[in-house]
Amino acid sequence: MKRTAFFISDGTGITAETLGQSLLTQFENIQFTKRLRPYVDTIEKARNMVQQINAAAEQDGARPIIFDTVVNKEIREELAKANAFMIDIFSSFLAPLEQELGDGSSYSVGKSHSIQHNAHYKDRIDAVHFAMDNDDGARTHYYNEADIILVGVSRCGKTPSCLYMALQYGIRAANYPLTEDDMERLQLPAALKQHKHKLFGLTIDPDRLASIRNERRPNSRYASFAQCEFEVREVENLFRRENIDFINSTHFSVEEISAKILVQMGIERRLK
């Protein structure tokens, strides 16, 4: 079965898409065509959206699903004219909250993702810059400012995990690749020893690592299964010997990896 899903907002659409995507993943037998439509903030744009939605309904032979976080009542009423099943996220949750809190919502557009109302916006940007500046062991002399330092073999997911933790949680995350030389010495590099309490390891299945490395350097020793198996085995032995917590990243998304790391390390997110 095929259905179209629209994520519609008069702001960025991040909230509508995040919640909508989470709900749709529960329906594995349905193939969804997903369409993000941010900044639908005028009646004219809403009417155009209705045309798009009705066209999708005709093409699919089934009503599209709409997840919306539109604040303006008139725009919502216009969207409701479409041939679709509409889930109004704000109305579903704000009314019960207003009743519980005994206070009315401001019904302001885009407050959760705006700069002026987010006191932690600078923290987020600073954390991203920190992750980029301290990627791949480039600048170890700033590790005293890090909340966490990810270690592991090359191409096991350290960089995307650091960037995600920075952007999503405001965590200052650095990463350091363990090389063949480090494995031959059977000990942590000197730059990491004094920050051992901040270290967290990532590992990966050798066959998956070989596949990733082959995309970067095809048919090289670096990408061979034998080399990948050796590096993974030795790094995991190093983690156990040094009592460094680690997880296998093979079957986890970057979101799952980041959440597991913060839980295991007991690190609180900076962005609340």
Side-chain angles (χ1 to χ4, degrees), residues 10-260:
D10 44 14
T12 62
I14 294 173
T15 301
E17 185 178 32
T18 300
L19 181 55
Q21 291 267 34
S22 297
L23 294 172
L24 294 182
T25 57
Q26 302 302 315
F27 300 91
E28 298 177 359
N29 297 322
I30 301 176
Q31 181 180 348
F32 291 100
T33 300
K34 301 170 184 177
R35 297 177 179 173
L36 174 62
R37 297 293 185 267
Y39 298 109
V40 180
D41 50 10
T42 67
I43 296 295
E44 182 179 357
K45 290 179 181 179
R47 288 173 181 158
N48 179 266
M49 276 307 315
V50 170
Q51 292 178 3
Q52 293 185 43
I53 294 164
N54 289 345
E58 185 175 350
Q59 181 177 345
D60 294 346
R63 293 192 299 171
I65 310 298
I66 297 176
F67 297 93
D68 88 89
T69 52
V70 175
V71 171
N72 184 280
K73 181 181 178 182
E74 287 74 22
I75 295 176
R76 287 205 314 273
E77 289 175 348
E78 192 66 34
L79 291 172
K81 297 176 182 178
N83 179 22
F85 177 73
M86 190 168 177
I87 300 176
D88 186 342
I89 294 172
F90 276 177
S91 293
S92 298
F93 295 108
L94 282 179
L97 271 175
E98 287 176 333
Q99 185 174 355
E100 174 64 24
L101 297 174
D103 192 16
S105 165
S106 64
Y107 288 90
S108 301
V109 176
K111 292 194 75 169
S112 61
H113 299 287
S114 64
I115 295 178
Q116 59 267 36
H117 295 292
N118 189 345
H120 297 295
Y121 185 76
K122 185 176 183 299
D123 291 338
R124 185 194 305 272
I125 299 304
D126 288 346
V128 171
H129 286 160
F130 184 89
M132 295 173 67
D133 289 343
N134 293 274
D135 181 47
D136 215 26
R139 300 170 67 187
T140 60
H141 51 286
Y142 286 108
Y143 280 3
N144 61 307
E145 299 177 17
D147 296 310
I148 189 170
I149 304 167
L150 298 189
V151 290
V153 299
S154 171
R155 312 303 290 179
C156 69
K158 300 184 300 299
T159 296
S161 297
C162 285
L163 288 172
Y164 182 84
M165 285 190 286
L167 187 61
Q168 192 71 13
Y169 302 130
I171 299 297
R172 290 176 174 248
N175 76 79
Y176 189 101
L178 294 171
T179 66
E180 193 170 1
D181 290 340
D182 298 320
M183 297 165 207
E184 289 176 353
R185 287 194 294 267
L186 301 177
Q187 61 182 352
L188 286 174
L192 298 180
K193 287 184 177 180
Q194 61 180 316
H195 304 290
K196 185 177 175 181
H197 62 290
K198 297 182 180 182
L199 301 183
F200 192 94
L202 286 187
T203 185
I204 187 172
D205 290 352
D207 55 346
R208 175 60 179 155
L209 181 60
S211 175
I212 294 171
R213 288 184 174 183
N214 261 303
E215 294 178 5
R216 187 179 180 91
R217 298 184 197 169
N219 304 316
S220 63
R221 176 175 176 271
Y222 166 80
S224 69
F225 178 80
Q227 179 66 20
C228 292
E229 186 179 39
F230 164 75
E231 290 185 24
V232 169
R233 181 180 64 250
E234 292 304 311
V235 163
E236 289 183 0
N237 287 338
L238 178 63
F239 290 157
R240 294 186 184 98
R241 195 161 53 246
E242 297 288 345
N243 293 316
I244 297 171
D245 286 341
F246 67 94
I247 60 173
N248 188 311
S249 66
T250 306
H251 302 294
F252 295 122
S253 67
V254 66
E255 295 90 344
E256 292 171 311
I257 293 169
S258 301
K260 287 175 179 291

